[in-house]
Amino acid sequence: MKPKIVSFTLNGRPVDVMVRPMTTLQNVLRRQLELTATKAGCRQGSCGSCTVLVNGEPMAACLLPIEDVEGQEVLTLEGITPLHGLHPIQEAFFENFAVQCGYCTPGMIMVTKALLEREPRPDEATIREALSGNLCRCTGYQAIVQAVTDAADRLHGNGGVS
Amino acid sequence: MAKHRGVGMAAVNYPTGMNLGGDPSQALIHATTTGTFVITLSSTDLGQGLKTVIAQIGAEALGVPFENVLIDTADTDTGPHCMGTFASRATHRVGNAVIRAAEEARKVMFEVASEELEVAPEDLETDGQGNIRVKGSPEHSINIVDLALAAHFKYGKTISGRGMYIKPKSEVDPDTGAMDPDSTEAHACTVAEVEVDDETGEVKVLSIKSAYEIGRQVNPKLVEGQIQGGSLMGMAHALYETTAPYYPAIDHAPGGFNEYIVPGPQDQPEIESVVLEYPSVNGPFGVKGVGEMTANSPIPAIINAIHDAVGVWITELPATPEKILRALEEKRKEEERGAE
């Protein structure tokens, strides 16, 4: 199949990429655009390390043909990371020791971003459900769940709850 | 048909480091001209936090702030030799090497400060805030940035140190069989609580509670992270993970990550731990290793809890629903035979 141009918005900027059909968004991000925050864990859609937001919804970039994001808005971890310092969700992960090897972290953070936009103050069960497509081999999840709760506080105030 | 609860316990005694032909690691420290102390290693941080704890140990041993220490590691082409990150050895071995390197670097630091402050080196001390000062006269001090600049441009000296730690090989005494294969040993005890469904054979772990005796903690939050992560890995070994479910046959072996079962965020039981600090004799500041051991005791604790719940012993891991149902069936048959 012949290469073609796919246009979409990436981290707030328009991009056009020349790709072979059915190339995954993951490969376009990591290999073509060299945006490697989006990880490549299982490449089978089961680990969540490649999670990006497409129009605000978490998607596994490893299963997404690039044609499917034509005209859509894609947000990766690079897109939420400020030039200096960290995004409040990143701060929360850092402060709560929710990162060990770090390979699951970008996916966890992108899911957290989508969750907290939909639900500013999620309870623990909601957090675990939202993260259920994301595997972590190191932390045992407890610190990650704490980090998401902390991130909600950082983004939306602690609502008088200490 | 019902769900049965059970409680099981297991303990682990875990050696730090290994014997083989001796177990060495090296560290090199040098100060940049602007007072950053670079600790060069080959030891790898796998995410357990080695770089953090080694920077903490280095800062303490040098007497400088944590922020002034930079860990440069993991390039085995250029770094000083390290046996590697395994056997729960890295904090112990590398930490000891760093302390020795820091002693040598401190000597140069004090020689230069002695020239600058015009007092004998033995009358100087570090304040841990980035200054070297005269004992009993803290207003006479020099900042490490100025010190590093002076060492480099005025005195032509490198503030640097070499450190090596080796646990020598221990031979077996031919008469008694005695030997000293490890440097120190850490201990833990885990209590697991499970719920076993005797209809489906499924095991749900409700809680994993452990007490750890691991020497001095350099970084308690990182220790907690090891224990939490290890508890879940232990649970996964006990119940889910295998590359050959019908070993030695390869039937139903996972063909990719999709089919290899690991626990997700909703499978995590309550995990609780307490840590007792009995410093080791030979670890840096009394540390012992707390890496691999954390995945050990949860496994037999869960298997014991399954026995407590439904009275069957699972002797091959993982304790899949199929194995539990087969064991329960066997038990029923035996009970029927006994009743006849």
Side-chain angles (χ1 to χ4, degrees):
Chain A
M1 285 185 282
K2 281 168 72 177
K4 60 176 180 177
I5 292 171
V6 175
S7 306
F8 58 103
T9 305
L10 177 61
N11 299 330
R13 289 182 187 179
V15 289
D16 306 296
V17 288
M18 178 78 99
V19 289
R20 289 189 184 281
M22 296 304 285
T23 305
T24 63
L25 175 60
Q26 180 183 58
N27 281 340
V28 171
L29 290 171
R30 288 178 56 84
R31 295 182 182 174
Q32 208 163 336
L33 303 173
E34 296 185 359
L35 295 174
T36 52
T38 302
K39 298 301 175 206
C42 68
R43 297 180 194 266
Q44 293 180 314
S46 62
C47 78
S49 73
C50 67
T51 307
V52 299
L53 304 190
V54 179
N55 301 330
E57 287 297 317
M59 302 280 242
C62 73
L63 297 183
L64 204 57
I66 188 70
E67 294 94 322
D68 284 16
V69 302
E70 171 80 51
Q72 316 287 310
E73 284 191 24
V74 176
L75 188 66
T76 70
L77 186 73
E78 286 94 346
I80 70 160
T81 308
L83 198 55
H84 300 290
L86 296 172
H87 185 277
I89 300 174
Q90 292 172 311
E91 271 173 13
F93 271 67
F94 181 76
E95 293 290 337
N96 287 278
F97 287 72
V99 180
Q100 283 189 30
C101 88
Y103 214 75
C104 74
T105 313
M108 293 283 182
I109 288 176
M110 296 318 285
V111 170
T112 303
K113 171 145 178 68
L115 169 69
L116 296 182
E117 262 161 36
R118 189 175 75 236
E119 192 143 349
R121 309 215 56 87
D123 60 17
E124 188 179 327
T126 309
I127 293 169
R128 287 185 189 273
E129 196 191 342
L131 297 174
S132 63
N134 294 63
L135 296 177
C136 170
R137 202 62 161 119
C138 306
T139 64
Y141 299 107
Q142 199 151 302
I144 293 175
V145 173
Q146 279 162 4
V148 177
T149 307
D150 184 30
D153 287 345
R154 285 167 193 264
L155 285 166
H156 307 294
N158 69 8
V161 185
S162 57
Chain B
M1 299 297 167
K3 289 181 178 176
H4 307 268
R5 285 201 175 189
V7 177
M9 187 195 91
V12 56
N13 170 36
Y14 207 88
T16 301
M18 55 162 199
N19 191 36
L20 298 179
D23 189 7
S25 278
Q26 297 180 17
L28 297 173
I29 298 181
H30 82 277
T32 66
T33 51
T34 49
T36 296
F37 287 79
V38 182
I39 301 181
T40 310
L41 309 166
S42 293
S43 328
T44 313
D45 190 334
L46 309 170
Q48 78 279 41
L50 182 69
K51 286 169 82 171
T52 307
V53 296
I54 293 303
Q56 286 180 262
I57 290 171
E60 184 74 24
L62 287 161
V64 304
F66 176 79
E67 291 72 21
N68 285 66
V69 177
L70 185 89
I71 306 291
D72 175 19
T73 191
D75 186 344
T76 52
D77 277 347
T78 58
H81 176 253
C82 176
M83 289 298 281
T85 300
F86 58 86
S88 302
R89 66 183 287 288
T91 306
H92 186 282
R93 300 291 191 267
V94 180
N96 273 328
V98 165
I99 287 175
R100 288 166 192 203
E103 278 165 12
E104 203 172 285
R106 254 175 91 92
K107 209 166 156 256
V108 187
M109 215 157 76
F110 282 178
E111 277 168 22
V112 176
S114 153
E115 295 283 346
E116 286 289 284
L117 296 169
E118 297 175 4
V119 290
E122 51 274 21
D123 292 330
L124 293 169
E125 62 185 6
T126 46
D127 69 353
Q129 309 293 314
N131 304 297
I132 293 174
R133 64 189 181 193
V134 179
K135 284 179 193 165
S137 178
E139 66 278 11
H140 292 104
S141 74
I142 181 167
N143 187 271
I144 52 171
V145 177
D146 298 326
L147 188 82
L149 284 167
H152 191 72
F153 291 104
K154 202 161 151 189
Y155 302 102
K157 286 189 173 189
T158 61
I159 300 179
S160 61
R162 302 157 300 170
M164 171 89 187
Y165 181 82
I166 180 165
K167 162 71 175 67
K169 185 183 182 186
S170 168
E171 303 288 353
V172 182
D173 184 313
D175 295 327
T176 63
M179 71 183 302
D180 173 26
D182 50 54
S183 310
T184 180
E185 286 175 357
H187 310 89
C189 182
T190 294
V191 175
E193 197 186 355
V194 304
E195 190 175 76
V196 184
D197 188 324
D198 67 9
E199 195 168 3
T200 64
E202 275 176 295
V203 177
K204 184 178 166 59
V205 177
L206 304 172
S207 69
I208 298 173
K209 297 178 181 174
S210 306
Y212 276 82
E213 186 282 288
I214 50 154
R216 178 98 68 209
Q217 299 184 90
V218 178
N219 189 314
K221 286 297 283 183
L222 288 174
V223 168
E224 195 187 359
Q226 289 295 292
I227 295 172
Q228 286 179 358
S231 298
L232 202 72
M233 283 183 215
M235 183 188 97
H237 290 318
L239 300 179
Y240 310 138
E241 289 186 48
T242 177
T243 51
Y246 296 94
Y247 183 84
I250 57 163
D251 301 351
H252 303 285
F257 287 122
N258 252 340
E259 296 152 31
Y260 185 85
I261 309 169
V262 294
Q266 291 169 306
D267 302 317
Q268 183 220 310
E270 181 190 352
I271 299 171
E272 233 182 81
S273 61
V274 290
V275 173
L276 308 172
E277 293 185 285
Y278 299 136
S280 70
V281 176
N282 49 29
F285 303 107
V287 312
K288 299 178 178 182
V290 59
E292 297 154 318
M293 70 181 301
T294 57
N296 283 28
S297 49
I299 305 171
I302 287 167
I303 299 301
N304 289 340
I306 292 171
H307 180 264
D308 185 47
V310 290
V312 297
W313 285 116
I314 304 300
T315 53
E316 273 176 43
L317 296 175
T320 56
E322 180 180 340
K323 282 181 196 157
I324 286 169
L325 288 179
R326 288 190 190 285
L328 283 171
E329 197 183 335
E330 194 56 40
K331 186 180 159 228
R332 265 192 296 276
K333 279 182 189 163
E334 261 175 41
E335 281 165 0
E336 280 165 21
R337 278 197 292 271
E340 277 165 14

